Amino acid sequence: MVLILEIARGVAALWVVLFHMEGLFDSFPEIFKAIIAQGHLGVPMFFVISGFVITYSAESSLKAKRSPYFFLKNRLRRIYPTFWFSVLVCLSLPYIMALVSTLKTGEFITPPNPIEVYNLSEWFNFLILTKVFFADGANLHSQFKHINPVYWTIAIEIQFYLVVFIGLFFKQYYRLFVAAVALFAILMFVMPFDINHGLFIHFWLSFCVGIVLAYLFKYKLTLQHLIIYNRPIASSVGLICVLILLCILVFELPINDLGFALMFGVFLWLIAPLEQRLVKLKSKDNPLVKIPLKASLVLGAMSYSVYLLHFNLYRLSEMFVRQVLAEQHILFGIACVIVTLVMCYPFYYVIERKFMSKHYNQLQKQTLKSNAITEK
């Protein structure tokens, strides 16, 4: 599932990017606009993938009898430093854009100081991602909107890690602890009661889809283990899943985040047999296959950086692209997306990679190589 999950990360990140840049695609066909209008569903995709990956990480920690603090240190190191550097980028971007504008107008206009939007206490809660608890109702992004509204999901992700961290102290009862949390989340879903919307419990079931999926794979309860593997059948199943998802999006059928998370989890379970096919395709020399596949894997690898930066960075991309293409040009939006992704890459390469665990860094390097990889 290594390649499939990496591609899924890239798709989720790109979908969210397109969602936030929706206004740049007014001249596109309605079917395309209908799909990107649902780009917020990229968030539950991330939660499902996180549930899957973190479950494997937790089980690995239990098997190796590592301290829960080792797990927590790696997860916090993976999230916080890159997040803090992205905040610095977001704070500096208004000044960078003002400088770029000066090259055209000849006059530097000092932008409002973004640091002044919060007081010291608010900044403290912002930087440790606890500001999410001060939201009015379910409008969690409002607590981060002055800097970057997408940060609210990182706050939920951190809480997920903390719950897993606590669960690891139960050792052989870890799975029972996770099941108990899931049961509470189900009860709260069936019989909603007033509880802070910034708490992880509201999103636990989306993570839980990935957790369940991980255990299905761990105990070999997958499609290729339950039936005789047949490539045409697997390919057909994958295609049917994609068509069903597209129909839901294009016809704007009502679906909430949890419903989509469940569908995405089933989708991953069904297309898992295609992993080996992707491994073979990655090693082929056909550029028509190799280049798009490699690009999707790179996008998956840098998806965290893309997610953190795109909302602020695409405005700078617009300034550059506007010098070459008119805003009404059909390629304007596509060019802005490409430039935004290209500008995110140095941040991923220089900053994000430094804070990955050694194991994940090696796995990611191996994934991006042309030779085949062994499944996780």
Side-chain angles (χ1 to χ4, degrees), residues 35 63 70 146 158 176 199-200 231 252 256 269 296:
I35 292 173
K63 185 177 181 180
F70 179 83
H146 296 298
I158 286 290
L176 187 61
L199 282 169
F200 74 92
R231 187 181 300 166
E252 299 183 25
N256 57 23
W269 184 82
S296 63

Side-chain angles (χ1 to χ4, degrees), residues 78-201:
R78 176 78 176 92
I79 293 294
Y80 273 116
T82 304
F83 160 65
W84 290 330
F85 273 103
S86 78
V87 173
L88 291 177
V89 172
C90 292
L91 291 175
S92 63
L93 271 172
Y95 297 95
I96 294 173
M97 293 173 65
L99 284 171
V100 172
S101 181
T102 301
L103 296 176
K104 185 175 182 179
T105 64
E107 180 185 2
F108 180 79
I109 301 176
T110 304
N113 186 354
I115 295 179
E116 294 178 350
V117 298
Y118 300 125
N119 59 38
L120 189 60
S121 174
E122 288 174 321
W123 267 115
F124 175 77
N125 285 299
F126 186 101
L127 293 175
I128 64 171
L129 292 169
T130 55
K131 204 171 188 301
V132 72
F133 299 124
F134 298 91
D136 182 17
N139 190 18
L140 304 184
H141 73 274
S142 65
Q143 293 300 303
F144 302 91
K145 66 179 182 181
H146 296 298
I147 307 299
N148 191 337
V150 305
Y151 286 158
W152 74 268
T153 60
I154 312 303
I156 300 300
E157 189 82 16
I158 286 290
Q159 291 181 53
F160 173 56
Y161 298 159
L162 290 172
V163 174
V164 173
F165 163 69
I166 294 170
L168 289 173
F169 283 101
F170 290 84
K171 297 181 180 179
Q172 68 265 37
Y173 302 109
Y174 166 75
R175 296 173 196 173
L176 187 61
F177 172 81
V178 171
V181 176
L183 179 60
F184 180 71
I186 292 171
L187 289 174
M188 204 183 77
F189 180 77
V190 175
M191 298 179 294
F193 55 90
D194 190 25
I195 188 171
N196 192 299
H197 284 273
L199 282 169
F200 74 92
I201 198 68

